[in-house]
């Protein structure tokens, strides 16, 4: 699905040098690489505060802790996402409220959000799934009308741009009150282990978050709040510093691959190509609205599982993200849920299939993958 080795070969010299430098300096924790990465990412995003932490799941949890959410507060998020999103809501004893997604973008459905709001609702967590922002204009409007926090789960969309209805552009993860991201190796900006970060433009919240990641300490050995230990280590920061200047090029390579996939599947019935959101009807040449963390097709009127097996038999990796709606997962079942409210997710779990997507895909690979799929669904 990803080719981390091929990407590493391109940046080997700089990565090796900076990792060895960290080892020689022995500044393994909170070293200069961490501070410079923080600054570099703030500059890249046009954001006031990046708070590095240990992984994307921690980032979400710490964001929720920083907002002061209390047990029993309801937090609305998408039914169709990776479990980390709902997991931290439940861990903090907040009440997860899962809602359906849009059939074309796979992102949280704003009508479903509106329907789910109660007097206990305190936050919305849109997940920018597969590399494309949720409908942030509408989500921010709803949040303002109901006095809710918006926490963007930006683990899959770093480097994507969101164009608002007034034409203004912002980086994914800089629109809500706070955002989280992950530097898991396969993410669009991945390190060589675990890593994550929290984003905010709010000075006071940033201060709170910086304490929470460090045992609730604002002054050495003074613990003002209950915190956690969640650090990005210096070696991972060195890798990220080496890769960040290439992020736009990496995302462009993903978009190029997506464009070639789209082209190959044009007119193939049974194969629905991913749709870019309202700001961008087609995947245009100069557009960053979708950075294709995943390239995900919908297979309609053909057997998705048989196709997945066929691809595996042919040596083509593929993935089903996600095979089970969160509201049907044992850990997150809740008698308040009504199956009729999840018609889209219930259908998507049977239709979606994600193809290999990374920065090193070449034309020959794409041709082999697409022709194998077309032969299967058309044949
Ligand atoms: C990867 C991911 C996370 C979690 O990130 P980790 O660094 O693996 O903890 C959270 N949310 C989404 C949507 C993700 O894709």
């Amino acid at each position: 699905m990803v080719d981390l080795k091929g990407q590493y070969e391109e940046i080997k010299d700089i990565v090796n040098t900076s990792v060895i430098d960290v080892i020689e300096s022995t500044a393994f924790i909170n070293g200069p690489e961490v501070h410079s990465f923080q600054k570099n990412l703030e500059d890249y995003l046009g954001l006031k505060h990046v708070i590095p932490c240990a992984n994307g799941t921690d980032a979400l949890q710490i964001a929720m802790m920083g907002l002061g959410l209390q047990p029993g507060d309801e937090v609305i998020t998408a039914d169709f996402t990776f479990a980390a999103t709902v997991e931290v809501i439940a861990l903090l004893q907040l009440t997860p409220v899962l809602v359906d997604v849009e059939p074309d973008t796979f992102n949280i459905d704003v009508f479903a959000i509106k329907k789910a709001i109660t007097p206990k609702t305190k936050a919305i967590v849109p997940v920018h799934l597969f590399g494309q922002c949720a409908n942030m204009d509408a989500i921010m409007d709803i949040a303002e009308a109901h006095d809710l926090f918006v926490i963007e789960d930006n683990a899959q969309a770093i480097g994507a741009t969101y164009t608002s209805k007034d034409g203004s552009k912002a980086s994914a993860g800089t629109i809500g009150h706070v955002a989280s991201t992950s530097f898991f190796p396969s993410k669009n900006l991945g390190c060589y282990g675990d890593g994550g970060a929290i984003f905010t433009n709010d000075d006071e919240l940033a201060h709170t978050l910086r304490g929470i990641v460090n045992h609730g300490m604002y002054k050495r050995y003074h613990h003002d709040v209950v915190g956690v230990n969640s650090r990005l280590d210096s070696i991972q920061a060195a890798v990220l510093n080496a890769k960040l200047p290439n992020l736009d090029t990496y995302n462009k390579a993903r978009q190029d691959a997506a464009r070639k996939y789209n082209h190959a599947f044009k007119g193939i019935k049974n194969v629905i190509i991913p749709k870019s959101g309202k700001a961008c009807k087609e995947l245009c040449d100069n557009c960053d609205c979708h950075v294709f963390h995943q390239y995900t097709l919908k297979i309609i009127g053909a057997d998705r599982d048989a196709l997945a097996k066929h691809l595996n038999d042919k040596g083509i990796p593929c993935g089903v993200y996600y095979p089970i709606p969160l509201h049907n997962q044992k850990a997150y079942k809740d008698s308040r849920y009504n199956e009729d409210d999840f018609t889209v997710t219930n259908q998507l779990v049977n239709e979606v299939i994600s193809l290999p997507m990374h920065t090193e895909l070449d034309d020959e690979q794409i041709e082999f993958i697409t022709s194998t799929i077309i032969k299967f669904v058309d044949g």
Side-chain angles (χ1 to χ4, degrees):
M1 289 297 279
V2 295
D3 181 3
L4 296 175
K5 181 85 178 160
Q7 192 188 61
Y8 167 65
E9 291 298 333
E10 301 283 317
I11 51 172
K12 192 170 182 163
D13 290 346
I14 174 159
V15 168
N16 289 7
T17 310
S18 42
V19 168
I20 297 285
D21 283 352
V22 172
I23 297 172
E24 303 231 324
S25 77
T26 70
F28 297 116
I29 301 292
N30 279 330
E33 286 282 358
V34 178
H35 297 282
S36 68
F37 174 64
Q38 175 189 322
K39 183 78 185 50
N40 293 339
L41 189 56
E42 286 166 355
D43 291 347
Y44 173 85
L45 294 168
L47 176 80
K48 280 169 93 175
H49 305 284
V50 165
I51 297 103
C53 66
N55 58 67
T57 310
D58 274 8
L60 270 170
Q61 177 181 332
I62 294 158
M64 288 176 202
M65 291 169 76
L67 292 172
L69 300 181
Q70 295 298 318
D73 287 351
E74 292 179 3
V75 179
I76 297 173
T77 194
D79 189 36
F80 191 63
T81 175
F82 183 55
T85 324
V86 67
E87 176 178 73
V88 300
I89 298 171
L91 261 179
L92 292 173
Q93 295 183 297
L94 312 172
T95 305
V97 179
L98 296 167
V99 302
D100 213 356
V101 296
E102 300 174 340
D104 49 1
T105 65
F106 313 124
N107 275 325
I108 195 164
D109 182 329
V110 296
F111 296 101
I113 296 176
K114 282 187 191 162
K115 210 179 137 192
I117 291 174
T118 76
K120 286 187 177 168
T121 308
K122 287 286 150 49
I124 307 168
V125 186
V127 182
H128 302 323
L129 204 71
F130 303 154
Q132 170 172 233
C133 283
N135 184 348
M136 291 304 291
D137 280 340
I139 291 167
M140 295 311 290
D141 284 350
I142 295 172
E144 195 172 345
H146 296 270
D147 200 17
L148 309 175
F149 293 119
V150 175
I151 305 159
E152 295 173 72
D153 181 342
N154 195 33
Q156 301 190 1
I158 195 160
T161 302
Y162 181 75
T163 306
S164 287
K165 50 186 180 242
D166 67 5
S168 64
K169 290 180 186 292
S171 290
T174 67
I175 304 160
H177 301 94
V178 60
S180 61
T181 201
S182 164
F183 306 121
F184 185 79
S186 64
K187 300 283 154 99
N188 290 36
L189 179 63
C191 56
Y192 293 169
D194 272 311
I198 311 150
F199 305 162
T200 186
N201 275 312
D202 181 328
D203 298 339
E204 206 176 312
L205 178 59
H207 174 75
T208 304
L209 294 168
R210 284 187 210 289
I212 292 173
V213 297
N214 188 26
H215 302 289
M217 269 197 292
Y218 297 89
K219 203 170 131 195
R220 209 165 167 74
Y221 298 119
H222 292 251
H223 303 273
D224 295 355
V225 295
V226 178
V228 295
N229 169 24
S230 188
R231 296 186 279 243
L232 179 71
D233 72 68
S234 304
I235 289 179
Q236 300 310 332
V239 173
L240 291 165
N241 269 330
K243 287 178 77 171
L244 181 59
N246 301 333
L247 178 58
D248 287 346
T249 314
Y250 290 159
N251 283 340
K252 286 260 176 300
R254 288 171 177 272
Q255 291 166 336
D256 278 348
R259 229 172 259 121
K260 287 171 187 163
Y261 276 139
N262 281 353
H263 185 74
F265 291 125
K266 217 173 189 147
I268 304 296
K269 86 172 191 344
N270 297 344
V271 174
I272 312 288
I273 61 172
K275 182 176 178 287
S276 298
K278 63 182 169 66
C280 181
K281 291 201 176 49
E282 275 186 37
L283 183 58
C284 38
D285 283 336
N286 242 327
C287 172
D288 294 319
C289 68
H290 200 322
V291 292
F292 291 94
H293 175 61
Q294 297 293 348
Y295 181 87
T296 303
L297 298 173
K298 288 195 286 184
I299 304 298
I300 313 261
D303 186 338
R304 190 270 321 266
D305 291 332
L307 171 62
K309 185 175 178 308
H310 179 69
L311 292 176
N312 280 323
D313 291 345
K314 294 268 175 189
I316 299 172
C318 62
V320 172
Y321 310 117
Y322 297 91
I324 303 170
L326 287 176
H327 79 275
N328 281 336
Q329 296 282 2
K330 228 181 192 173
Y332 305 113
K333 272 186 186 287
D334 190 316
S335 59
R336 290 169 310 145
Y337 293 138
N338 178 347
E339 282 305 317
D340 294 342
D341 290 330
F342 298 99
T343 50
V344 176
T345 307
N346 285 341
Q347 195 170 334
L348 288 178
V349 294
N350 295 315
E351 293 176 347
V352 290
I353 187 164
S354 300
L355 304 186
M357 174 48 81
H358 53 82
T359 57
E360 314 299 312
L361 274 174
D362 62 33
D363 289 358
E364 207 180 315
Q365 292 169 319
I366 291 175
E367 159 41 43
F368 179 58
I369 296 163
T370 55
S371 61
T372 307
I373 293 171
I374 292 168
K375 251 182 248 152
F376 182 88
V377 298
D378 258 11

